[in-house]
Amino acid sequence: MSSLGGTCNKMSSPIDLLIARANLRCAKCAAPASQGCGCWEECSCGWSAEKGHPCHNPKTIRCSTKAKFYGFRQISRGLRGWRPIQDAVEDGRLCALRFEDADGKFESDGPFFLHEGCWYLFEPPMQLNLQPIAFKRLGR
């Protein structure tokens, strides 16, 4: 038996070798996958999301990237001003929204607005893929 000089030579699998030779790069900044980049972050739900944006996992509402992006917080004590979502009118006014998931109710000031039956985040402008349960007008 020959000795390897005390070092272990770990053999790579064929898939590891293919990935290493594929020269994969980040779709946003073109950094090599072997070096990594700072464009993406892992969400608590297991999906990846562009840094500063929510993940697009349709099965989660309050995972880490969505909570940061939408500014979710536990619901305020008072019910003053909150109305059922079916009472919302498309009048261009900005609103705060309440949501509910398996862990309870939560809210965000957004601001959000209703347009053609869909809720949108005002800044950055994007359609909301979450279904709110209540709304409250912001400002006047």
Side-chain angles (χ1 to χ4, degrees):
M1 271 180 98
S2 67
S3 170
L4 296 174
T7 60
C8 178
N9 227 359
K10 183 179 177 185
M11 297 297 292
S12 296
S13 73
I15 295 201
D16 290 335
L17 292 172
L18 284 173
I19 290 172
R21 292 181 186 152
N23 196 22
L24 298 174
R25 297 184 170 275
C26 171
K28 187 172 179 184
C29 71
S34 59
Q35 294 175 347
C37 71
C39 298
W40 305 92
E41 64 182 310
E42 188 170 336
C43 186
S44 63
C45 67
W47 285 44
S48 291
E50 187 176 342
K51 264 215 171 124
H53 293 275
C55 74
H56 297 290
N57 186 344
K59 296 182 180 179
T60 63
I61 294 179
R62 224 182 330 183
C63 51
S64 62
T65 58
K66 288 178 184 167
K68 280 191 292 188
F69 186 78
Y70 295 118
F72 291 150
R73 64 181 181 279
Q74 293 299 316
I75 62 169
S76 54
R77 292 185 183 262
L79 294 175
R80 187 176 181 161
W82 289 99
R83 300 180 58 199
I85 203 67
Q86 52 271 24
D87 292 349
V89 179
E90 294 181 30
D91 58 6
R93 293 198 282 177
L94 298 177
C95 300
L97 295 177
R98 269 195 178 164
F99 302 89
E100 185 172 22
D101 66 7
D103 295 328
K105 295 179 182 173
F106 53 100
E107 60 191 42
S108 174
D109 287 335
F112 304 95
F113 65 94
L114 184 61
H115 177 69
E116 295 182 355
C118 296
W119 285 98
Y120 290 85
L121 181 63
F122 185 73
E123 187 63 40
M126 65 183 291
Q127 186 173 350
L128 190 64
N129 61 354
L130 309 171
Q131 185 58 44
I133 60 168
F135 75 100
K136 177 170 69 172
R137 302 276 185 221
L138 297 174
R140 293 179 156 213

